Amino acid sequence: MADFLINGLGVLSAVLLILNGLFVSYEVFMRYVFDAPTTWVAEISIYNVIASTFLALAYVLLQKAHVGVDSLTSYLSPKTKLALESITTVLAIVYCLVLDWEGTKMAYSAYSMSELSPTLLQVPMVIPELFIPLGALLLTGQFFRLLWSILKRLASGGHEDSGHS
């Protein structure tokens, strides 16, 4: 079920990026062909980028597509690699928990102060700001799943396939 949700959010992120391209193309067309720039494209594009970035974080981890440096770890034994991966995963979880907490505080502050964007659209800022703790929370959950998988592989001697559970 978690994979289904994470994959769905990955697709949603891709759709948001495609929409963003269409919005910006529309803006360019309106500005340079009709000399009638829009008032909404820049702001909505920013919100789309925020949403697509944070909603895709767990998907990218699920697909093992986050950047990794293996110049040193390629010389380690499989069990040592797993032990090191478990340590870095715990550190990533700690980082994500801080991001969860701070993102939630920021979104709650925007909500409690009824903060609006300082533009003609006057978007309630809690909407784009909610994508930060939501995406970070999903990423935290995926890191916990990864840690569980690593610990299972370590317990079995480090010889199991490296797939996520």
Side-chain angles (χ1 to χ4, degrees):
M1 180 61 177
D3 284 356
F4 180 77
L5 172 67
I6 290 169
N7 283 316
L9 290 173
V11 170
L12 176 60
S13 295
V15 168
L16 289 174
L17 288 176
I18 291 167
L19 285 174
N20 214 39
L22 293 173
F23 294 159
V24 171
S25 297
Y26 174 76
E27 168 67 19
V28 169
F29 182 77
M30 293 302 292
R31 179 180 299 265
Y32 294 108
V33 174
F34 294 110
D35 195 26
T38 65
T39 58
W40 58 273
V41 168
E43 185 173 3
I44 296 302
S45 293
I46 291 168
Y47 300 150
N48 265 350
V49 169
I50 292 168
S52 63
T53 299
F54 282 93
L55 292 178
L57 292 175
Y59 173 79
V60 173
L61 182 59
L62 178 66
Q63 299 301 317
K64 302 177 191 173
H66 279 277
V67 174
V69 179
D70 63 355
S71 57
L72 296 177
T73 59
S74 61
Y75 298 105
L76 301 175
S77 71
K79 193 166 186 170
T80 305
K81 276 188 205 179
L82 280 175
L84 184 59
E85 190 177 357
S86 68
I87 292 167
T88 58
T89 300
V90 167
L91 292 173
I93 288 170
V94 170
Y95 174 82
C96 285
L97 289 171
V98 171
L99 184 59
D100 292 336
W101 177 253
E102 293 300 323
T104 300
K105 284 182 6 185
M106 182 179 72
Y108 179 75
S109 174
Y111 171 76
S112 65
M113 294 176 19
S114 300
E115 187 178 339
L116 301 174
S117 66
T119 62
L120 289 175
L121 295 181
Q122 293 196 322
V123 172
M125 290 308 295
V126 67
I127 296 170
E129 289 179 6
L130 267 177
F131 289 111
I132 297 168
L134 176 62
L137 184 64
L138 292 166
L139 181 61
T140 304
Q142 186 58 31
F143 268 122
F144 272 113
R145 293 175 71 209
L146 175 60
L147 182 61
W148 178 250
S149 172
I150 293 167
L151 294 176
K152 285 192 323 190
R153 286 183 281 151
L154 274 171
S156 70
H159 299 298
E160 269 187 51
D161 182 25
S162 62
H164 296 2
S165 58

